[in-house]
Amino acid sequence: MDFTFDNEQNALREAVAGLLMRAYGGDQRRSVTREEPGFDEKTWAQLAEMGVLGLPFAEEDGGMGAGQAEVAIVATEIGRVLAPEPFVESVVLAGGLVAAVGTAEQRTAVLGPLAEGSSVLAAALAEPTARWTPSAAGVTATADGGSWTLTGVKEPVQHGARADVLVVSAAVDGGTRLFLVQGDATGLTRTGYRTHDVGRAARVVFDGTPAELLGDSDADRTADVEQALARATVAYAHEAVGAMDTALTTTAEYLRTRKQFGVSLNKFQALTFRAADMYVTLELVRSTALWATMVLDAEGSTADDVVAAADRARLQTSRAGRHIGKEAIQLHGGIGVTAEYKVGHYTSRLTAIDHLLGDGDWARARLAGRVGSYDTVEAVP
């Protein structure tokens, strides 16, 4: 199995890393996240000029026609500097739903502006009383002639207050369908707030809000939503890998330079062993995320293969994020939990990723539910 990138992919990685390092290599993230919309519109536009925001979409829809490996590269570099731009939320998840379900006219109208950086999408899927499910229940859609209206509440909606267009799941006749809602639609109330990792989310209330059916069929979209969530989960895994990589590098540098009793901390074997364990954990989750990306790109992968690969990546990301985040803070001592030092911010983002689309315990339960589908199961000695 080849996990290496080709020359074009390496060039993409270097270009994105260079742009994001210039934008967030210093202390810029604090000032950017202090103001609304919680990310830098200028950096968002520069990512668009680079073609990053259109990577996963077909060329005829205004995209670049790239694969999941390119998405993984961008997500990793975003995580490496904790860039607050909503790449996974807007491009991979919300844009992915439009690309998978929308008509040709809808894909052109919605994905083109997204790829150009002139529009931000948000996926309104989560509901206050039901987390991590691809089906909708709390928002209902009502047809009136050839038009639709939505009623109900979605929360949390990542970057929902800033979004120009919302991709909303709603219950219709016992199934789930997807709708497009314009940000200035009547009957739409969006209450934005900061999350613990200084990201942005919103409570979105629909009260007879006009909506456009996404796609041209009456099919239930639950499976489409689950596929989009799986692809976003793998992208989040790569973002987490980038964040963990920086957390480990920062911790190793601290051990090499911080002195106690006249020697640097890396002279204490117990601390070095703990840093080595962090490295092993990082390489395990990096390999799992890359493997899951290859499953998503493989021609023979079934929908169930994609969901199972995402659950494995989700579980490893959850375990690794907790281990590396906790150890990074512990090995830094008291400074690790201060707002002035960056290690705590990385741990906060890793914690947010762990809970955005389903945490480790939830992924483990789903994987355990598939055990019966295997012909042979070997017991762990």
Side-chain angles (χ1 to χ4, degrees):
M1 189 172 290
D2 186 5
F3 285 165
T4 58
F5 296 128
D6 61 28
N7 291 337
E8 289 188 2
Q9 291 167 337
N10 280 323
L12 172 65
R13 179 178 56 79
E14 292 172 4
V16 174
L19 170 61
L20 295 178
M21 186 56 69
R22 289 191 294 276
Y24 298 108
D27 207 27
Q28 303 97 318
R29 181 173 181 267
R30 293 177 191 275
S31 57
V32 168
T33 56
R34 195 176 296 128
E35 307 293 336
E36 297 301 329
F39 64 91
D40 185 5
E41 302 269 10
K42 179 181 176 183
T43 303
W44 185 251
Q46 290 174 326
L47 288 169
E49 291 173 4
M50 197 177 287
V52 167
L53 304 187
L55 276 177
F57 310 132
E59 294 182 13
E60 55 268 29
D61 297 331
M64 304 295 289
Q68 292 299 315
E70 287 74 17
V71 170
I73 289 169
V74 174
T76 302
E77 297 309 318
I78 283 176
R80 199 180 302 281
V81 296
L82 293 186
E85 276 65 33
F87 175 73
V88 177
E89 295 84 354
S90 186
V91 175
V92 181
L93 181 53
L97 285 168
V98 176
V101 176
T103 63
E105 292 76 14
Q106 288 172 331
R107 296 197 303 271
T108 300
V110 177
L111 299 182
L114 172 62
E116 295 170 357
S118 59
S119 175
V120 174
L121 307 187
L125 305 175
E127 298 174 351
T129 57
R131 296 190 301 172
W132 308 332
T133 173
S135 59
V139 171
T140 57
T142 304
D144 182 10
S147 60
W148 292 86
T149 57
L150 303 184
T151 301
V153 178
K154 292 287 187 180
E155 185 181 18
V157 180
Q158 304 299 314
H159 294 277
R162 164 61 182 85
D164 299 290
V165 180
L166 296 166
V167 183
V168 187
S169 61
V172 182
D173 298 331
T176 295
R177 296 187 195 173
L178 293 168
F179 296 86
L180 297 174
V181 174
Q182 299 299 317
D184 58 356
T186 58
L188 178 67
T189 304
R190 300 184 287 180
T191 306
Y193 49 85
R194 284 175 52 143
T195 55
H196 65 82
D197 62 332
V198 300
R200 295 295 189 276
R203 176 181 176 86
V204 181
V205 179
F206 304 91
D207 184 10
T209 307
E212 176 186 353
L213 180 67
L214 188 60
D216 56 3
S217 77
D218 295 334
D220 179 40
R221 298 300 185 184
T222 302
D224 297 296
V225 173
E226 185 156 50
Q227 288 295 298
L229 290 172
R231 293 177 183 277
T233 295
V234 176
Y236 272 134
H238 285 284
E239 182 181 333
V241 167
M244 287 184 249
D245 205 335
T246 299
L248 173 58
T249 302
T250 304
T251 303
E253 180 63 21
Y254 183 79
L255 295 179
R256 281 193 294 269
T257 55
R258 179 79 165 102
K259 289 186 177 181
Q260 283 190 347
F261 308 110
V263 297
S264 58
L265 292 179
N266 65 348
K267 301 299 182 185
F268 296 95
Q269 193 175 51
L271 301 183
T272 305
F273 281 0
R274 289 170 67 175
D277 285 342
M278 293 170 67
Y279 174 77
V280 172
T281 296
L282 173 61
E283 292 309 306
L284 177 59
V285 67
R286 192 199 306 275
S287 300
T288 304
L290 286 170
W291 167 79
T293 299
M294 296 170 74
V295 172
L296 265 57
D297 262 345
E299 292 184 0
S301 292
T302 65
D304 193 53
D305 292 338
V306 169
V307 172
D311 283 341
R312 290 188 174 98
R314 189 194 324 260
L315 178 56
Q316 287 297 337
T317 302
S318 174
R319 289 174 171 173
R322 286 173 180 269
H323 176 213
I324 292 178
K326 179 186 68 176
E327 287 292 75
I329 288 176
Q330 290 289 330
L331 291 174
H332 274 83
I335 193 176
V337 296
T338 62
E340 290 74 20
Y341 200 69
K342 65 180 181 181
V343 165
H345 295 264
Y346 279 85
T347 304
S348 181
R349 180 56 183 165
L350 289 171
T351 303
I353 288 175
D354 187 20
H355 293 283
L356 277 173
L357 301 181
D359 62 16
D361 290 341
W362 184 78
R364 180 171 54 193
R366 280 164 57 98
L367 290 168
R370 294 191 182 95
V371 169
S373 64
Y374 295 97
D375 295 331
T376 303
V377 179
E378 294 184 11
V380 177

